Amino acid sequence: MYRNHTCGEIRMENNGQEVLLAGWVQRVRNLGGMTFIDLRDRYGLTQLVVDDQSTNEVKNVASGLGREYVVQARGVVRERSSKNLKIATGEVELHISELNVLNSAATPPFTIQDDTDGGDELRMKYRYLDLRREAVRKNLELRAKMAHVVRNYLGSKDFIETETPVLIKSTPEGARDFVVPSRMNPNQFYALPQSPQLFKQLLMVAGFDRYYQIVKCFRDEDLRADRQPEFTQIDCEMSYVHQEDVLNMFEGLTKHIFKELKGIDIIDFPRMTFADAFEKYGNDKPDLRFGMMIHEMTDLVKGKEFKLFDEAEYIGGICATGCGEYTRKQLDALTEYIKKSQIGGSGLIYAKVNSDGTVKSSVDKFYSSEDVQKWAARLEAKPGDLLLVTFGTKERALPVISALRLEMGRQCGLMDKEIFKPLWVVDFPLLEWSEETQRFFAMHHPFTSPKPEDIALLDSDPGKVRANAYDLVINGVEIGGGSVRIFDSALQAKMFKILGFTKEAAEDQFGFLMNAFKFGAPPHAGIAFGFDRLVSMFAGLDSIRDVIAFPKNNSGRDVMNDSPSPIAQTQLDELYLKMVKTE
Amino acid sequence: MYRNHTCGEIRMENNGQEVLLAGWVQRVRNLGGMTFIDLRDRYGLTQLVVDDQSTNEVKNVASGLGREYVVQARGVVRERSSKNLKIATGEVELHISELNVLNSAATPPFTIQDDTDGGDELRMKYRYLDLRREAVRKNLELRAKMAHVVRNYLGSKDFIETETPVLIKSTPEGARDFVVPSRMNPNQFYALPQSPQLFKQLLMVAGFDRYYQIVKCFRDEDLRADRQPEFTQIDCEMSYVHQEDVLNMFEGLTKHIFKELKGIDIIDFPRMTFADAFEKYGNDKPDLRFGMMIHEMTDLVKGKEFKLFDEAEYIGGICATGCGEYTRKQLDALTEYIKKSQIGGSGLIYAKVNSDGTVKSSVDKFYSSEDVQKWAARLEAKPGDLLLVTFGTKERALPVISALRLEMGRQCGLMDKEIFKPLWVVDFPLLEWSEETQRFFAMHHPFTSPKPEDIALLDSDPGKVRANAYDLVINGVEIGGGSVRIFDSALQAKMFKILGFTKEAAEDQFGFLMNAFKFGAPPHAGIAFGFDRLVSMFAGLDSIRDVIAFPKNNSGRDVMNDSPSPIAQTQLDELYLKMVKTE
């Protein structure tokens, strides 16, 4: 070993000992006759001292050091004269008797500090330097720790970690596959898995009973800010369970992770139907860190000659507690906010409840004080509160008011990153109608079981059928989702038919699954957690990028090693492929 | 839950309790008025009983059951009248009060038993049924357990589990890459990693200090019996270490795995140089479960007019203990064996040491009894032993005699699968000369460090340079391998030059690594274990296929879901690719 201690472990107990350290030069301070060197490794920082009593050789080496040089230092531990109690090693320093440069370093393109001066692009290009920053490395240490905690929990519950293949069969359902041309099977392709869905269901048919895997998945989608072409799931499946068994098991996992990593006891873990979530929060992933629930007001506001409300299918509002003093400018900004194209609101009506209990609305021309008092009562507003109301079709107005609710949550400081409010959203619709293609799509995936009591509706009114599907939502973020699966080959065939598969196409794509179901498939259900997202939530980050060691940018490129990249003609030839020139 | 107990846990303590089980029907035995049903799940087997006292409904359901039906059974635990002490639940049975068929099953194409009647191909096509067999499932349980043990050990040694990308840059060095066309970057390709080599080295540059990952790797090679296009490695890297530190760490891991999974204390863990292994065992992965070491005899046998020996560069032999009674037929078979094309021996000379100490050789015409006694002394033969001698160039004769040694080990029953003899093979040559392309190749990979004392030879005699590279060998199987890495950009550039890279090609392919080395790379070294092979050795299997849940066949096909498969023209169009027709 180049060292016998790390830079994070020397304490007063080591006073007088000779130790050998190795690490990176964080900083060199030359104070007349003395030189202080902060030596850094993953474990911490130790102060090295070179002074009058040091040998000329040590002095010479020390004078040539630069930032990020890799050095090995031998010396005796001694008490510091001026202690730094902010760091664990801050009471001691090492008086150097031997100093070796193991590797020199060019000046890094940005500072290796938590508050670096490097911009995003530069840090991605030199990701190996960015990862030296404690702020970034801590996120990856958290990731490793979470994986460990998850594995231990699932292992203790008899889940068998089982690897499923990465080179699989391409299926047209779902998002776009990445494909891999097969050299040994010319003109044929593997796909990279969007999830191990079919394999984990087959493992249940195989009697594995409980399966899990922390596994890379792939989607060739146009990337948004928080998407990566490869991402990691905690993927699980269980046999002989009902929906509630799955919820309880993974509620247990979630509580365990919070307890182990944050010392937090999660007590409440409510279930909310998709319909309720949409009515009360305007979306399927409610942020329960704050109330400000949506109340429908349609019945309250009609018939007062106010055209916008009279013509609207739905009118609803929220009460922003304590925002009664919002200025005209602030209110205009809120109107602007909901009119942004990605939100698409049509307009914002507001009313203030003054401190004396009187009310003042933006539509006083149409609504009397008594009318507005009724609104305030519906929204449970108190003096000093602000009522925000919007309108439209129900399908469009509720997401608008949901966005407004979240914005008010931000403005009122109600979205504390250290408070965690999980819930299960259940009873999702089984199918979604696509106007564009005039057919139903599976809302979760084609293997999701309808609720038994809704099966009769499959023929008469498929859009009304609810699924035994569930999402785990924490603080307004979808952390996981899953479903009870169909385990009957006839019902599965029916689902494929409703989804517009011909018998031949279903057979070609999923024949092996339907065939497997004929040989004694047990009832089973599962879930997948977005591991990147879970870690980033625990790290208090908004993006998953900083919990991935080597992420790709929004064009799917690794800017550090400049990939993807062209390949040799011989490689293409071997794969029986030709490139088509792009315009 | 469909059950409140598993089929493996009911014992006499549960006598009189009502329990609810679910599982597969292993067997139905109808004995007049009584029906016995063996119900199976992953955890075990429980006997269900239907008798006179059962309801008609239960009787009816029971009479309709077939093999592999999925059923739920409620009943009261009672003591069996005829106990089966071979199984853990064999003292009790369940007297059924309620019996529900959860799913029926077509007759499986082979029996779900350890000694199944299904052939290899059929079992692969119905892998989900093959996995129901305890013999197969046990292997995958062992795999999961080993992963757990490995992770705990490495975690306890401060290794950070870090995921590296699967979509990476294609590099021409090494085996053939699988490639993935990028839709967002037309005419460019990702590659799937043959190993995370570059990323783990960059993690060391990043100061991660200790990294590990149990990770899928990919090689597009023509598949031999025991190769898979995707396979799993335990991949590790450490900073600030010398070779011996790595050997000690992973010797520790290996011992830990043996202790945890087999209860075996591995005491000896010798190191052997590549040169010694080749001299004494004829290959670089000696099986130390038995001696029968090779002894060179060149100096002993020359000048006796025996042309085959006189003209040979090298003559060497082994002593097969106790094989002095081998018949002419057996000896001829051995000669045939070494002459097989994949072994390529030129001929076999033998001599027997009789029980009275006299000798008899196949070349008595040329060698006196005294001569042969000298051979026997060299090979440390005793009365009753057989000397087997072969000859040729040293490079070719040693592998022949190695194959012969292993064959004799098999014939003498010296290769006990429950005895484990690990060792480190060290000091591999850095480079291999390719006659075909007239250039040097890296024996391990281009990032392997030469031994410091041999660096001067890089210019004068590169073929003589030894590497700081090491293999972990157990029972003649290479389980892992690794090396100390180059961490100096100038030496790395020199290596690329020796390997025939132009400066431009090296820059294009590995520029980011050499650039990274300029910013303070620490000394580092690593290793990768073949996880599939390690598990299969622990399972006592010869092939890795049965420790992989869904393996591919020798054409890289998954015969269960018939992939790879053609993809839609629209998919090709999006990727700017055209297929070339194969002849």
Side-chain angles (χ1 to χ4, degrees), chain A residues 1 3 24 42-43 103 106 132 143 158 163 166-167 176 188 190 205 209 230 232 245 487 518-521 556-557 564 574 576 578, chain B residues 1 3 24 42-43 103 106 132 143 158 163 166 176 188 190 205 209 230 232 245 487 518-521 556-557 564 574 578 580:
Chain A
M1 294 276 281
R3 65 187 178 205
W24 286 264
R42 176 184 132 200
Y43 311 93
N103 215 339
R132 279 189 196 165
R143 184 184 182 106
D158 282 332
E163 295 171 56
V166 177
L167 297 170
R176 202 185 283 107
Q188 300 196 356
Y190 303 101
V205 175
D209 204 69
E230 52 180 296
T232 304
D245 303 313
F487 69 106
K518 289 178 185 147
F519 292 102
R557 296 196 69 81
E574 280 189 327
Y576 297 94
K578 231 164 87 177
Chain B
M1 294 276 282
R3 66 187 177 204
W24 285 264
R42 176 185 133 200
Y43 310 94
N103 215 338
R132 279 188 195 165
R143 183 184 183 107
D158 282 331
E163 295 171 57
V166 177
R176 202 184 284 106
Q188 300 196 356
Y190 303 101
V205 175
D209 205 71
E230 52 181 296
T232 304
D245 303 314
F487 68 107
K518 289 179 185 147
F519 292 102
R557 295 196 70 81
E574 281 189 325
K578 232 165 90 175
V580 177

Coordinates of all heavy atoms in Angstrom, one line a residue, chain A residues 1 3 24 42-43 103 106 132 143 158 163 166-167 176 188 190 205 209 230 232 245 487 518-521 556-557 564 574 576 578, chain B residues 1 3 24 42-43 103 106 132 143 158 163 166 176 188 190 205 209 230 232 245 487 518-521 556-557 564 574 578 580:
Chain A
M1 N 0.8 -1.2 0.0 CA 0.0 0.0 0.0 C 0.9 1.3 0.0 O 1.9 1.3 0.6 CB -0.9 0.0 1.2 CG -1.9 -1.1 1.2 SD -3.4 -0.7 0.3 CE -4.3 0.4 1.5
R3 N 0.0 3.8 1.5 CA -0.4 4.5 2.7 C -0.7 3.5 3.8 O -1.0 2.3 3.5 CB -1.7 5.3 2.4 CG -2.9 4.5 2.1 CD -4.1 5.2 1.6 NE -5.2 4.3 1.3 CZ -6.1 4.5 0.4 NH1 -6.2 5.7 -0.2 NH2 -7.1 3.6 0.2
W24 N -4.5 13.7 -2.9 CA -4.4 14.8 -3.8 C -4.1 16.1 -3.0 O -4.7 16.3 -1.9 CB -5.7 15.0 -4.6 CG -5.9 13.9 -5.6 CD1 -5.5 14.1 -7.0 CD2 -6.4 12.6 -5.5 NE1 -5.8 12.9 -7.6 CE2 -6.4 12.0 -6.8 CE3 -6.9 11.9 -4.4 CZ2 -6.8 10.7 -7.0 CZ3 -7.4 10.6 -4.6 CH2 -7.3 10.0 -5.9
R42 N -10.8 10.4 -0.6 CA -12.3 10.2 -0.5 C -12.7 10.3 1.0 O -13.9 10.7 1.3 CB -12.6 8.8 -1.0 CG -14.0 8.4 -0.9 CD -14.2 7.0 -1.4 NE -14.9 6.2 -0.4 CZ -14.9 4.8 -0.4 NH1 -14.2 4.2 -1.3 NH2 -15.6 4.2 0.5
Y43 N -11.8 10.0 1.9 CA -12.2 9.9 3.3 C -12.1 11.2 4.1 O -12.6 11.3 5.2 CB -11.4 8.8 3.9 CG -11.4 7.5 3.1 CD1 -10.4 7.2 2.2 CD2 -12.4 6.6 3.2 CE1 -10.4 6.1 1.4 CE2 -12.5 5.4 2.4 CZ -11.4 5.2 1.5 OH -11.5 4.1 0.8
N103 N 2.3 11.6 -8.9 CA 1.9 12.0 -10.2 C 1.7 13.5 -10.2 O 1.2 14.0 -9.2 CB 0.6 11.3 -10.7 CG 0.6 11.0 -12.2 OD1 1.3 11.7 -12.9 ND2 -0.2 10.1 -12.6
A106 N -1.8 18.8 -14.3 CA -2.1 20.0 -15.0 C -3.1 20.8 -14.2 O -3.9 20.2 -13.4 CB -2.6 19.8 -16.4
R132 N -14.5 14.3 -8.3 CA -13.7 14.5 -7.2 C -14.3 15.4 -6.2 O -13.9 15.4 -5.0 CB -12.3 15.2 -7.6 CG -11.4 14.2 -8.2 CD -10.0 14.8 -8.4 NE -9.2 14.0 -9.3 CZ -8.1 14.4 -9.9 NH1 -7.6 15.6 -9.7 NH2 -7.5 13.5 -10.7
R143 N -26.1 6.7 -3.3 CA -26.7 5.7 -4.2 C -26.2 4.3 -3.8 O -27.1 3.4 -3.8 CB -26.2 6.1 -5.6 CG -26.8 5.2 -6.7 CD -26.2 5.5 -8.1 NE -26.8 4.7 -9.1 CZ -27.7 5.1 -9.9 NH1 -28.1 6.4 -10.0 NH2 -28.3 4.3 -10.8
D158 N -37.1 -12.8 1.4 CA -37.1 -13.9 0.5 C -37.1 -13.6 -1.0 O -37.4 -14.5 -1.8 CB -38.2 -14.9 0.9 CG -37.9 -15.8 2.1 OD1 -36.7 -16.0 2.3 OD2 -38.9 -16.2 2.8
E163 N -30.7 -12.0 -12.4 CA -30.4 -11.2 -13.5 C -31.2 -11.7 -14.7 O -31.3 -12.9 -15.0 CB -28.9 -11.3 -13.9 CG -28.0 -10.7 -12.8 CD -26.6 -11.1 -13.1 OE1 -26.1 -10.7 -14.2 OE2 -25.9 -11.7 -12.2
V166 N -30.1 -8.7 -21.1 CA -30.0 -7.3 -21.7 C -30.3 -7.4 -23.2 O -30.8 -6.4 -23.7 CB -28.7 -6.7 -21.3 CG1 -28.5 -5.3 -22.0 CG2 -28.4 -6.6 -19.8
L167 N -29.9 -8.5 -23.8 CA -30.1 -8.6 -25.2 C -31.4 -9.4 -25.3 O -31.4 -10.6 -25.1 CB -29.0 -9.4 -25.9 CG -27.6 -8.6 -25.8 CD1 -26.5 -9.5 -26.3 CD2 -27.7 -7.4 -26.7
R176 N -39.8 3.6 -27.6 CA -39.0 3.1 -28.7 C -37.8 2.3 -28.1 O -37.2 2.7 -27.1 CB -38.4 4.3 -29.5 CG -38.0 4.0 -30.9 CD -37.3 5.2 -31.6 NE -38.3 6.1 -32.0 CZ -38.5 7.3 -31.5 NH1 -37.9 7.7 -30.4 NH2 -39.4 8.2 -32.1
Q188 N -31.2 -9.6 -38.3 CA -32.1 -9.7 -37.1 C -31.5 -8.9 -36.0 O -30.3 -8.6 -36.0 CB -32.2 -11.2 -36.6 CG -32.8 -12.0 -37.7 CD -33.4 -13.4 -37.2 OE1 -33.2 -13.7 -36.0 NE2 -34.0 -14.1 -38.1
Y190 N -31.5 -7.7 -31.7 CA -31.9 -7.7 -30.3 C -32.4 -6.3 -29.9 O -32.2 -5.4 -30.6 CB -30.7 -8.0 -29.3 CG -30.0 -9.2 -29.6 CD1 -28.7 -9.2 -30.2 CD2 -30.4 -10.5 -29.1 CE1 -28.0 -10.4 -30.4 CE2 -29.7 -11.6 -29.2 CZ -28.5 -11.6 -29.9 OH -27.7 -12.7 -30.1
V205 N -44.0 -17.5 -13.3 CA -44.5 -18.8 -13.8 C -43.5 -19.9 -13.5 O -43.9 -21.1 -13.2 CB -44.6 -18.7 -15.4 CG1 -45.0 -20.1 -16.0 CG2 -45.6 -17.7 -15.8
D209 N -41.4 -17.2 -7.1 CA -42.1 -16.7 -5.9 C -41.9 -15.2 -5.6 O -42.8 -14.4 -5.6 CB -41.9 -17.5 -4.7 CG -43.0 -17.4 -3.7 OD1 -44.1 -17.9 -4.0 OD2 -42.9 -16.7 -2.6
E230 N -30.3 5.5 -20.6 CA -30.2 4.3 -19.7 C -30.5 4.8 -18.3 O -29.9 5.8 -17.8 CB -28.9 3.6 -19.8 CG -27.6 4.4 -19.7 CD -26.4 3.6 -19.9 OE1 -26.1 2.7 -19.0 OE2 -25.6 3.9 -20.8
T232 N -31.9 3.3 -14.1 CA -31.9 2.1 -13.2 C -33.2 1.9 -12.5 O -33.7 2.9 -12.0 CB -30.7 2.2 -12.3 OG1 -29.5 2.4 -13.0 CG2 -30.5 0.9 -11.4
D245 N -51.2 -6.7 -0.7 CA -49.9 -7.3 -0.2 C -48.7 -6.6 -0.8 O -47.7 -6.4 -0.1 CB -49.9 -8.8 -0.6 CG -51.1 -9.5 -0.1 OD1 -51.4 -9.4 1.1 OD2 -51.8 -10.3 -0.8
F487 N -53.0 -13.2 -15.3 CA -52.2 -14.5 -15.3 C -53.0 -15.6 -16.0 O -52.7 -16.8 -15.9 CB -51.8 -14.9 -13.9 CG -52.9 -15.3 -13.0 CD1 -53.2 -16.7 -12.6 CD2 -53.8 -14.4 -12.4 CE1 -54.2 -17.0 -11.8 CE2 -54.8 -14.7 -11.6 CZ -55.0 -16.0 -11.2
K518 N -50.2 -21.0 -20.0 CA -51.0 -22.3 -20.1 C -50.5 -23.4 -19.2 O -51.2 -24.4 -19.1 CB -51.0 -22.7 -21.6 CG -51.8 -21.8 -22.5 CD -51.8 -22.3 -23.9 CE -52.5 -21.2 -24.8 NZ -51.9 -21.1 -26.1
F519 N -49.3 -23.2 -18.7 CA -48.7 -24.3 -17.9 C -48.7 -24.0 -16.4 O -47.8 -24.4 -15.7 CB -47.2 -24.5 -18.4 CG -47.1 -25.1 -19.8 CD1 -46.8 -24.3 -20.9 CD2 -47.4 -26.4 -20.0 CE1 -46.8 -24.8 -22.2 CE2 -47.4 -27.0 -21.3 CZ -47.0 -26.1 -22.4
G520 N -49.8 -23.3 -16.0 CA -49.9 -23.1 -14.5 C -49.2 -21.9 -14.1 O -48.2 -21.9 -13.3
A521 N -49.7 -20.7 -14.5 CA -49.2 -19.4 -14.0 C -49.9 -19.1 -12.7 O -51.1 -19.2 -12.6 CB -49.5 -18.3 -15.0
G556 N -28.2 12.5 -25.8 CA -27.8 11.1 -25.6 C -26.3 10.9 -25.8 O -25.8 9.8 -26.0
R557 N -25.5 12.0 -25.7 CA -24.1 11.9 -25.9 C -23.4 11.9 -24.5 O -23.7 12.6 -23.6 CB -23.6 13.1 -26.7 CG -24.1 13.2 -28.1 CD -23.3 14.1 -29.0 NE -22.0 13.6 -29.2 CZ -21.7 12.6 -30.1 NH1 -22.6 12.2 -30.9 NH2 -20.5 12.2 -30.3
P564 N -22.0 8.7 -28.8 CA -21.7 7.7 -29.8 C -20.8 8.2 -30.9 O -20.6 9.4 -31.0 CB -23.0 7.3 -30.4 CG -23.9 8.5 -30.2 CD -23.5 9.0 -28.8
E574 N -19.9 -6.7 -41.4 CA -20.1 -7.9 -40.7 C -21.5 -8.0 -40.2 O -22.1 -9.1 -39.9 CB -19.2 -7.9 -39.4 CG -17.8 -8.4 -39.7 CD -17.0 -8.6 -38.4 OE1 -17.2 -7.9 -37.4 OE2 -16.1 -9.5 -38.4
Y576 N -24.1 -6.8 -41.9 CA -25.0 -6.7 -43.0 C -25.8 -5.5 -43.0 O -27.0 -5.5 -43.2 CB -25.9 -8.0 -43.1 CG -25.1 -9.2 -43.3 CD1 -24.7 -10.0 -42.2 CD2 -24.7 -9.7 -44.6 CE1 -24.0 -11.2 -42.4 CE2 -24.0 -10.8 -44.8 CZ -23.6 -11.6 -43.7 OH -22.9 -12.7 -43.9
K578 N -26.0 -1.1 -43.9 CA -25.4 0.0 -44.7 C -26.0 1.3 -44.1 O -27.2 1.3 -43.7 CB -25.9 -0.1 -46.2 CG -24.8 0.0 -47.2 CD -25.3 -0.5 -48.5 CE -25.9 0.5 -49.4 NZ -26.3 0.0 -50.7
Chain B
M1 N -53.0 -12.0 0.6 CA -52.2 -13.1 0.2 C -53.1 -14.3 0.0 O -54.1 -14.6 0.7 CB -51.2 -13.5 1.3 CG -50.1 -12.4 1.6 SD -48.7 -12.5 0.5 CE -47.8 -13.9 1.2
R3 N -52.1 -17.2 0.6 CA -51.6 -18.2 1.5 C -51.2 -17.5 2.8 O -50.9 -16.3 2.8 CB -50.4 -18.9 0.9 CG -49.2 -18.0 0.8 CD -48.1 -18.5 0.0 NE -47.0 -17.5 -0.1 CZ -46.1 -17.5 -1.1 NH1 -46.1 -18.4 -2.0 NH2 -45.2 -16.6 -1.1
W24 N -48.1 -25.4 -6.7 CA -48.3 -26.2 -7.9 C -48.5 -27.7 -7.5 O -47.9 -28.2 -6.5 CB -47.1 -26.2 -8.8 CG -47.0 -24.9 -9.5 CD1 -47.4 -24.6 -10.8 CD2 -46.4 -23.6 -9.0 NE1 -47.1 -23.3 -11.1 CE2 -46.5 -22.7 -10.1 CE3 -45.8 -23.2 -7.8 CZ2 -46.1 -21.4 -10.0 CZ3 -45.4 -21.9 -7.7 CH2 -45.5 -21.0 -8.8
R42 N -41.6 -22.8 -4.1 CA -40.1 -22.7 -4.1 C -39.6 -23.2 -2.7 O -38.4 -23.6 -2.7 CB -39.8 -21.2 -4.2 CG -38.4 -20.8 -4.1 CD -38.2 -19.3 -4.2 NE -37.4 -18.8 -3.1 CZ -37.4 -17.5 -2.7 NH1 -38.2 -16.6 -3.2 NH2 -36.6 -17.1 -1.7
Y43 N -40.4 -23.2 -1.7 CA -39.9 -23.4 -0.4 C -40.0 -24.9 0.0 O -39.3 -25.3 1.0 CB -40.6 -22.5 0.6 CG -40.7 -21.1 0.2 CD1 -41.8 -20.6 -0.5 CD2 -39.6 -20.2 0.5 CE1 -41.8 -19.3 -0.9 CE2 -39.6 -18.9 0.0 CZ -40.7 -18.4 -0.7 OH -40.7 -17.1 -1.1
N103 N -55.4 -21.7 -11.3 CA -55.1 -21.8 -12.7 C -54.9 -23.3 -13.1 O -54.3 -24.0 -12.4 CB -53.8 -21.0 -13.1 CG -53.9 -20.3 -14.4 OD1 -54.7 -20.7 -15.3 ND2 -53.1 -19.2 -14.6
A106 N -51.8 -27.1 -18.8 CA -51.6 -28.1 -19.9 C -50.5 -29.0 -19.4 O -49.7 -28.7 -18.6 CB -51.2 -27.5 -21.2
R132 N -38.5 -24.4 -12.9 CA -39.3 -24.9 -11.8 C -38.6 -26.1 -11.1 O -38.9 -26.4 -10.0 CB -40.7 -25.4 -12.3 CG -41.7 -24.3 -12.5 CD -43.1 -24.9 -12.8 NE -43.9 -23.8 -13.3 CZ -45.1 -24.0 -13.9 NH1 -45.5 -25.3 -14.0 NH2 -45.8 -23.0 -14.3
R143 N -26.5 -18.4 -6.9 CA -26.0 -17.2 -7.5 C -26.4 -15.9 -6.7 O -25.5 -15.0 -6.5 CB -26.6 -17.1 -8.9 CG -26.1 -15.9 -9.8 CD -26.8 -15.9 -11.1 NE -26.2 -14.8 -11.9 CZ -25.4 -15.0 -12.9 NH1 -25.1 -16.2 -13.3 NH2 -24.9 -13.9 -13.6
D158 N -14.9 -0.9 2.2 CA -15.0 0.5 1.7 C -15.1 0.6 0.2 O -14.8 1.7 -0.4 CB -13.8 1.3 2.2 CG -14.0 1.8 3.6 OD1 -15.2 1.9 4.0 OD2 -13.0 2.0 4.3
E163 N -22.4 2.2 -10.7 CA -22.8 1.8 -12.0 C -22.1 2.6 -13.1 O -22.1 3.8 -13.0 CB -24.3 1.9 -12.1 CG -25.2 1.1 -11.2 CD -26.6 1.5 -11.3 OE1 -27.2 1.4 -12.4 OE2 -27.2 1.8 -10.2
V166 N -23.8 1.5 -19.9 CA -23.9 0.3 -20.8 C -23.8 0.8 -22.3 O -23.4 0.1 -23.1 CB -25.3 -0.4 -20.6 CG1 -25.4 -1.6 -21.5 CG2 -25.4 -0.9 -19.1
R176 N -14.8 -8.4 -30.4 CA -15.7 -7.6 -31.2 C -16.8 -7.0 -30.3 O -17.4 -7.7 -29.5 CB -16.3 -8.5 -32.3 CG -16.9 -7.8 -33.4 CD -17.6 -8.7 -34.4 NE -16.7 -9.6 -35.2 CZ -16.4 -10.9 -35.1 NH1 -17.0 -11.5 -34.1 NH2 -15.7 -11.5 -35.9
Q188 N -24.1 7.2 -36.1 CA -23.1 7.0 -35.1 C -23.7 5.9 -34.2 O -24.9 5.6 -34.2 CB -22.9 8.3 -34.2 CG -22.4 9.4 -35.1 CD -21.8 10.5 -34.2 OE1 -21.9 10.5 -33.0 NE2 -21.2 11.5 -34.9
Y190 N -23.3 3.5 -30.4 CA -22.8 3.2 -29.1 C -22.2 1.7 -29.2 O -22.6 1.0 -30.1 CB -23.8 3.1 -28.0 CG -24.6 4.4 -27.8 CD1 -25.9 4.5 -28.3 CD2 -24.1 5.4 -27.1 CE1 -26.7 5.7 -28.1 CE2 -24.9 6.6 -26.8 CZ -26.1 6.7 -27.4 OH -26.9 7.9 -27.2
V205 N -9.2 7.9 -11.0 CA -8.8 9.3 -11.3 C -9.7 10.3 -10.5 O -9.3 11.3 -10.0 CB -8.8 9.6 -12.8 CG1 -8.4 11.1 -13.0 CG2 -7.8 8.8 -13.5
D209 N -11.3 5.8 -5.0 CA -10.5 5.0 -4.1 C -10.7 3.5 -4.2 O -9.8 2.7 -4.5 CB -10.6 5.4 -2.7 CG -9.4 5.1 -1.9 OD1 -8.4 5.7 -2.1 OD2 -9.5 4.1 -1.0
E230 N -23.7 -12.3 -23.4 CA -23.7 -11.4 -22.2 C -23.4 -12.3 -21.0 O -23.9 -13.4 -20.9 CB -25.0 -10.7 -22.1 CG -26.3 -11.6 -22.1 CD -27.6 -10.7 -21.9 OE1 -27.7 -10.1 -20.8 OE2 -28.4 -10.7 -22.8
T232 N -21.5 -11.9 -16.7 CA -21.5 -11.1 -15.6 C -20.1 -11.1 -14.9 O -19.6 -12.2 -14.7 CB -22.6 -11.5 -14.6 OG1 -23.9 -11.4 -15.3 CG2 -22.7 -10.5 -13.4
D245 N -1.1 -6.0 -2.7 CA -2.3 -5.5 -1.9 C -3.6 -6.0 -2.6 O -4.6 -6.4 -1.9 CB -2.4 -4.0 -1.9 CG -1.1 -3.4 -1.3 OD1 -0.7 -3.9 -0.2 OD2 -0.5 -2.5 -1.8
F487 N -0.5 4.5 -14.9 CA -1.2 5.7 -14.5 C -0.4 7.0 -15.0 O -0.7 8.1 -14.5 CB -1.5 5.7 -13.0 CG -0.3 5.8 -12.1 CD1 0.0 7.0 -11.4 CD2 0.6 4.8 -11.9 CE1 1.1 7.1 -10.6 CE2 1.7 4.9 -11.1 CZ 1.9 6.0 -10.4
K518 N -3.5 13.3 -17.0 CA -2.7 14.5 -16.9 C -3.2 15.3 -15.6 O -2.5 16.3 -15.3 CB -2.8 15.4 -18.1 CG -2.1 14.8 -19.3 CD -2.2 15.6 -20.5 CE -1.6 14.9 -21.7 NZ -2.3 15.1 -23.0
F519 N -4.3 15.0 -15.1 CA -4.8 15.8 -14.0 C -4.7 15.1 -12.6 O -5.5 15.3 -11.8 CB -6.3 16.1 -14.3 CG -6.5 17.1 -15.4 CD1 -6.9 16.6 -16.7 CD2 -6.2 18.4 -15.3 CE1 -7.1 17.4 -17.7 CE2 -6.4 19.3 -16.4 CZ -6.8 18.8 -17.6
G520 N -3.6 14.3 -12.5 CA -3.4 13.7 -11.2 C -4.0 12.4 -11.0 O -5.0 12.2 -10.2
A521 N -3.5 11.4 -11.8 CA -4.0 10.0 -11.6 C -3.3 9.3 -10.5 O -2.0 9.4 -10.5 CB -3.9 9.3 -13.0
G556 N -26.3 -17.6 -30.2 CA -26.7 -16.3 -29.6 C -28.2 -16.1 -29.6 O -28.7 -15.0 -29.4
R557 N -29.0 -17.2 -29.7 CA -30.4 -17.0 -29.8 C -31.0 -17.4 -28.4 O -30.6 -18.3 -27.7 CB -31.0 -17.9 -30.9 CG -30.6 -17.6 -32.3 CD -31.5 -18.3 -33.3 NE -32.8 -17.7 -33.3 CZ -33.2 -16.5 -33.9 NH1 -32.3 -15.9 -34.6 NH2 -34.4 -16.1 -33.8
P564 N -32.7 -13.1 -31.5 CA -33.1 -11.8 -32.1 C -34.1 -12.1 -33.2 O -34.3 -13.2 -33.6 CB -31.8 -11.3 -32.7 CG -30.9 -12.5 -32.9 CD -31.3 -13.4 -31.7
E574 N -35.7 5.2 -39.0 CA -35.4 6.1 -38.0 C -33.9 6.1 -37.6 O -33.4 7.1 -37.1 CB -36.2 5.8 -36.7 CG -37.6 6.3 -36.8 CD -38.3 6.1 -35.4 OE1 -38.0 5.1 -34.7 OE2 -39.1 7.0 -35.1
K578 N -29.9 0.6 -43.5 CA -30.5 -0.2 -44.5 C -29.9 -1.6 -44.4 O -28.7 -1.7 -44.1 CB -30.1 0.3 -45.9 CG -31.3 0.5 -46.9 CD -30.9 1.3 -48.0 CE -30.4 0.5 -49.2 NZ -30.2 1.4 -50.4
V580 N -28.4 -5.1 -45.7 CA -27.7 -5.7 -46.9 C -28.2 -7.1 -46.9 O -28.2 -7.8 -45.9 CB -26.2 -5.6 -46.8 CG1 -25.5 -6.2 -47.9 CG2 -25.8 -4.1 -46.6

